[in-house]
Amino acid sequence: MCSPPFAARSGGTGLGLAIAHELVRAHGGAIELVESVGGRTRFLITIPDQPVRPDEARQTIRRQT
């Protein structure tokens, strides 16, 4: 889902979703593909409302890669 580089627009780097994915994961959240129809794509981003300890976030990122 977040494999760079693919740019939907000319002039893009193709890194936007990959960067968003890493930022969301670093905050203990998740990003999910909801739908992709007719050139439009929707994602669901969830981020916990409580602070995440940095060591827990690092462990989660390592397990998911």
Side-chain angles (χ1 to χ4, degrees), residues 2-59:
C2 298
S3 301
F6 173 78
R9 299 181 301 220
S10 66
T13 63
L15 296 174
L17 185 57
I19 292 169
H21 186 242
E22 289 302 312
L23 288 170
V24 169
R25 286 176 51 193
H27 286 87
I31 185 167
E32 300 175 48
L33 175 64
V34 174
E35 73 175 336
S36 184
V37 179
R40 294 180 165 252
T41 305
R42 291 180 33 200
F43 293 91
L44 173 66
I45 296 174
T46 54
I47 297 175
D49 62 352
Q50 299 296 317
V52 176
R53 291 186 9 210
D55 56 328
E56 290 176 5
R58 282 188 210 100
Q59 289 176 359

